[in-house]
Amino acid sequence: MKAAPQAQQRLIDLQELDSSLDRLAHRRRTLPELAEIERLEARRAELRDQIVAAETALGDLDREQKKAEQDVDQVRTRADRDRKRLDSGMVTSAKDLASLQAEIESLGRRQSDLEEVVLEIMERREEAEARVNDLRAERDRAVDELAALTERRDAEQAKIDEEAGLTGTARTGVAKDVPDDLLALYEKLRDQFGGVGAAVLYRGACQGCHLALNTVDLNRIRAAADDDVLRCEECRRILVRTAESGL
């Protein structure tokens, strides 16, 4: 393949712009805000599930407390009724009086036990409610932090996109100065060799693979015509000659 030396020189300008675009793309993909946003989104999802579970547990305790309080009310109502019967003087049999007094005492003990159950449920409910509130507060903090991170990410990405747009425009202008066949070869090599398709020969070393060329290869390059498109024998990238190639 042949191309004017000036066109080959433009390949290096093109390579520099492409490398800049690659670096910008890498910066965009690896912004620290992205990892933090991913972490916070995962935590927010966890918190959502934990809040649902905590609210369900709180609801269960509400129902349990209501049932226990109803049991206390039932026992209290029954005890009040028995005390009224006892105080009314309607029960005259000694046996019936003893039985009624025993039942009142039993109901009193039952009421005391049930009230202890209600207190224990209330304590558990207070802890469950505190957990719900703590989880909701953490979720709200995560939402606020996520909003701030998203804003910073968008701002950074906008700056990168603006720089990439300017660089892309410059690349389009440089690419017009490179013949189609040379440009196609360059693009193919860029895909094959990690984004670097052309490199300068500097003081006898290829700047693509950073290896010094042997004497035979250097003599071959010296003998080549100025418009010959050369390739590095080591890395196979396009090798561009300059005044500092050491020839």
Side-chain angles (χ1 to χ4, degrees):
M1 182 182 296
K2 288 185 175 292
Q6 295 82 356
Q8 296 187 46
Q9 292 285 341
R10 291 299 269 168
L11 269 186
I12 300 305
D13 297 333
L14 190 63
Q15 180 64 73
E16 289 178 356
L17 291 169
D18 281 333
S19 295
S20 294
L21 287 170
D22 290 343
R23 287 191 294 270
L24 288 169
H26 181 265
R27 272 179 54 198
R28 200 182 197 282
R29 291 193 304 270
T30 59
L31 286 172
E33 288 82 3
L34 294 175
E36 278 299 296
I37 287 172
E38 184 177 358
R39 181 188 66 79
L40 278 173
E41 286 178 339
R43 180 57 182 155
R44 186 175 61 173
E46 289 177 0
L47 287 168
R48 181 181 61 243
D49 294 341
Q50 290 174 1
I51 288 170
V52 169
E55 288 175 340
T56 300
L58 183 60
D60 291 343
L61 286 170
D62 283 338
R63 286 187 289 273
E64 189 176 347
Q65 181 178 338
K66 183 178 180 180
K67 175 64 170 57
E69 289 173 343
Q70 288 174 345
D71 290 343
V72 171
D73 289 340
Q74 289 176 356
V75 171
R76 184 184 294 115
T77 299
R78 185 172 174 182
D80 289 344
R81 183 188 63 199
D82 286 349
R83 276 190 291 270
K84 287 179 181 178
R85 286 184 61 202
L86 183 64
D87 295 341
S88 69
M90 295 175 60
V91 180
T92 57
S93 166
K95 181 179 179 181
D96 290 343
L97 284 172
S99 176
L100 189 57
Q101 288 174 336
E103 182 176 350
I104 290 173
E105 292 175 359
S106 176
L107 288 170
R109 290 192 296 272
R110 176 61 177 160
Q111 180 179 331
S112 179
D113 291 343
L114 287 172
E115 286 173 345
E116 286 294 327
V117 170
V118 171
L119 287 174
E120 186 270 335
I121 294 173
M122 289 175 67
E123 290 176 357
R124 287 162 49 204
R125 187 196 179 282
E126 185 177 344
E127 293 175 358
E129 187 175 26
R131 173 161 175 76
V132 169
N133 291 335
D134 288 345
L135 288 170
R136 287 173 176 168
E138 185 179 353
R139 177 201 58 194
D140 292 343
R141 289 193 298 271
V143 168
D144 291 341
E145 189 176 353
L146 190 58
L149 280 169
T150 300
E151 185 176 351
R152 289 210 305 271
R153 178 205 63 190
D154 292 347
E156 288 298 317
Q157 287 182 340
K159 286 165 56 179
I160 292 171
D161 291 345
E162 181 180 5
E163 187 175 349
L166 294 173
T167 305
T169 299
R171 184 197 189 279
T172 300
V174 171
K176 292 177 181 178
D177 297 335
V178 181
D180 290 343
D181 55 349
L182 182 58
L183 183 62
L185 175 61
Y186 164 78
E187 297 286 7
K188 177 182 177 181
L189 295 175
R190 253 177 56 80
D191 291 340
Q192 291 178 355
F193 301 121
V196 180
V200 170
L201 176 63
Y202 179 73
R203 295 184 180 178
C206 169
Q207 297 305 294
C209 59
H210 301 286
L211 295 176
L213 277 63
N214 60 44
T215 303
V216 173
D217 289 336
L218 287 174
N219 287 335
R220 175 180 58 82
I221 293 172
R222 290 189 185 99
D226 288 344
D227 61 351
D228 283 342
V229 176
L230 304 177
R231 304 275 293 277
C232 174
E233 291 297 328
E234 297 294 336
C235 68
R236 301 306 298 158
R237 293 179 174 94
I238 298 170
L239 204 55
V240 178
R241 290 164 284 179
T242 70
E244 297 182 312
S245 291
L247 301 175

